[in-house]
Amino acid sequence: MGAVLETPRLLLRELTAADFGALYDVLADSDIMRHYPYTFDERRVRGWISKNIERYRDFGFGLWAVVLKETGGMIGDCGITMQFINGCIKPEIGYHLYRDWQKRGYAREAARACRNWAFEHEGRQRALDRRGEGERYAAG
């Protein structure tokens, strides 16, 4: 699958079922998921991938696989989701990266690309127009 976004060091592309193993290693890590009420098991990781595939279809965006250009390896996810925050549906940029790839500026690089995409791409406006249909849970 082709890149949705590209930065100097990263490609961001849609998640697929084939990303299960790499994403499981991130989402099942209790340190990485310390701000969530739980770490993810296999069922939750598969649901995470399915939910993002649904988001791509419904909103034109979601959390994307973060891939290093240099190696082609997936190091986590980053993207935009619609969240119910203080009674309103709002776009939120989130990310999760393997421990080994943290503190190297990759999360910032990916998040900035997502932010820029949101303001340049019509998909954000389409999502905001559908705010009554937004997801009603946090951190997704």
Side-chain angles (χ1 to χ4, degrees):
M1 171 160 297
V4 174
L5 294 170
E6 187 172 344
T7 73
R9 302 182 296 167
L10 304 171
L11 297 173
L12 278 71
R13 62 162 174 76
E14 291 184 1
L15 289 166
T16 69
D19 294 317
F20 171 80
L23 198 56
Y24 179 84
D25 289 344
V26 174
L27 300 179
D29 184 311
S30 60
D31 187 50
I32 293 170
M33 300 303 287
R34 68 185 168 272
H35 299 293
Y36 282 70
Y38 48 79
T39 56
F40 283 41
D41 58 15
E42 288 186 14
R43 180 185 57 79
R44 284 190 167 119
V45 174
R46 291 186 198 290
W48 187 267
I49 292 169
S50 295
K51 185 66 177 176
N52 280 291
I53 292 170
E54 183 181 312
R55 287 174 175 144
Y56 307 146
R57 184 185 66 239
D58 292 348
F59 298 115
F61 56 83
L63 292 169
W64 295 302
V66 177
V67 178
L68 287 174
K69 283 182 175 179
E70 186 178 338
T71 65
M74 181 179 160
I75 63 169
D77 67 1
C78 183
I80 306 162
T81 59
M82 299 305 292
Q83 300 293 329
F84 189 69
I85 302 169
N86 297 328
C88 298
I89 302 296
K90 297 181 179 183
E92 174 183 80
I93 295 173
Y95 57 85
H96 310 91
L97 296 182
Y98 280 113
R99 276 190 225 201
D100 293 348
W101 298 105
Q102 293 176 5
K103 299 183 186 202
R104 298 182 188 196
Y106 293 119
R108 179 179 298 161
E109 187 174 325
R112 282 183 178 159
C114 292
R115 178 203 59 202
N116 293 344
W117 183 92
F119 286 107
E120 294 168 3
H121 198 276
E122 58 86 23
R124 178 180 184 274
Q125 185 58 48
R126 211 175 50 204
L128 293 175
D129 290 344
R130 296 180 62 190
R131 62 185 165 269
E133 301 171 29
E135 300 156 308
R136 300 206 175 253
Y137 59 90

